Amino acid sequence: MKTTTKMLLIPILLLVSCSHYIINEAGYIRPPKHYKFTYRKKVKPLGNPTIIDTNAVYYLSDANFYRDSDAYKVNDRYLRFYADGRVKLQSTKTFPKINEVNDPDRGIVGYFHLKDSLVRIQLYSDIGGGSDQLHFGKIDSFGNLVLLHDNPRTGFRMGFGKAGTDRRIERKSYYNPLVYRKIYLEEMTYDKGNW
């Protein structure tokens, strides 16, 4: 093997070996087999299905990052919650397609847990070669999911309580909260998540 080929191969091998995620057959990132989601330990059976509806998806469309500007758009996406504490996030360019909603191999995956109307989500991504990201929010009085854009790891804290969440939603942050509308889709099936 030529020296230049070896020199090119070494950085590629180092880059690949730093990844702590796998790509499934559908082309989506998955955590390594024994990845420990901390929220998995907090999962409790959904006692009140009116808080999180596992027979619906929560759809975000036409949203902006900042409260004072329409220039920075957020990609359309939806969240699907499973009764066993799993959740998946799927970006979409159109209204959610039923075959994608029903397919557990599609989307970014993680776990969630509830505390009253507060929703805390832990999703696995390729950031930093593979890591989890936290998203905090609540279910509003209309049954929609309102997630904060603010990072819950800021200020040496690991999240926001009810008062902090409400404060940030009520214009105490320069980021728009993300309002995911609850929608029902015909032909939605329930296949358990495989992560």
Side-chain angles (χ1 to χ4, degrees):
M1 192 181 278
K2 291 184 177 180
T3 306
T4 55
T5 306
K6 286 181 184 177
M7 291 177 70
L8 289 173
L9 197 56
I10 290 171
I12 291 171
L13 287 173
L14 288 173
L15 183 64
V16 171
S17 65
C18 291
S19 295
H20 301 288
Y21 61 86
I22 57 173
I23 307 256
N24 69 7
E25 290 180 11
Y28 291 90
I29 292 166
R30 291 295 183 263
K33 188 174 186 179
H34 298 292
Y35 187 78
K36 296 185 181 182
F37 283 100
T38 54
Y39 282 15
R40 181 183 225 163
K41 297 174 188 172
K42 298 181 178 192
V43 169
K44 297 175 185 162
L46 283 177
N48 187 350
T50 60
I51 296 175
I52 289 286
D53 194 336
T54 59
N55 295 313
V57 295
Y58 293 82
Y59 178 52
L60 174 76
S61 66
D62 196 31
N64 303 317
F65 277 102
Y66 302 107
R67 292 185 192 261
D68 60 354
S69 173
D70 291 338
Y72 302 96
K73 294 286 186 190
V74 178
N75 294 336
D76 291 359
R77 60 187 78 153
Y78 67 87
L79 283 156
R80 178 168 186 187
F81 294 91
Y82 296 82
D84 65 356
R86 297 173 206 249
V87 62
K88 78 171 189 170
L89 171 79
Q90 173 74 45
S91 290
T92 183
K93 292 185 179 189
T94 62
F95 192 78
K97 296 177 182 170
I98 195 65
N99 63 323
E100 293 177 357
V101 170
N102 287 335
D103 188 350
D105 288 329
R106 292 179 161 273
I108 297 170
V109 299
Y111 282 84
F112 73 97
H113 77 93
L114 301 171
K115 186 173 181 183
D116 301 319
S117 65
L118 292 178
V119 180
R120 296 179 178 185
I121 301 170
Q122 181 183 27
L123 293 172
Y124 194 83
S125 75
D126 61 350
I127 294 173
S131 63
D132 57 73
Q133 306 303 310
L134 300 179
H135 304 274
F136 282 37
K138 69 177 188 176
I139 299 296
D140 69 12
S141 59
F142 302 105
N144 297 319
L145 173 65
V146 182
L147 288 182
L148 298 172
H149 240 306
D150 304 56
N151 186 337
R153 290 184 171 137
T154 55
F156 302 107
R157 292 186 172 174
M158 287 302 290
F160 311 122
K162 181 166 179 15
T165 300
D166 289 341
R167 224 181 7 258
R168 283 171 177 81
I169 289 171
E170 297 301 322
R171 300 195 62 79
K172 300 297 183 195
S173 167
Y174 56 87
Y175 293 113
N176 261 329
L178 303 174
V179 180
Y180 289 76
R181 291 179 299 117
K182 180 167 72 169
I183 58 170
Y184 293 97
L185 300 172
E186 289 186 31
E187 301 175 23
M188 212 167 135
T189 60
Y190 192 89
D191 291 321
K192 184 177 177 182
N194 54 9
W195 56 93

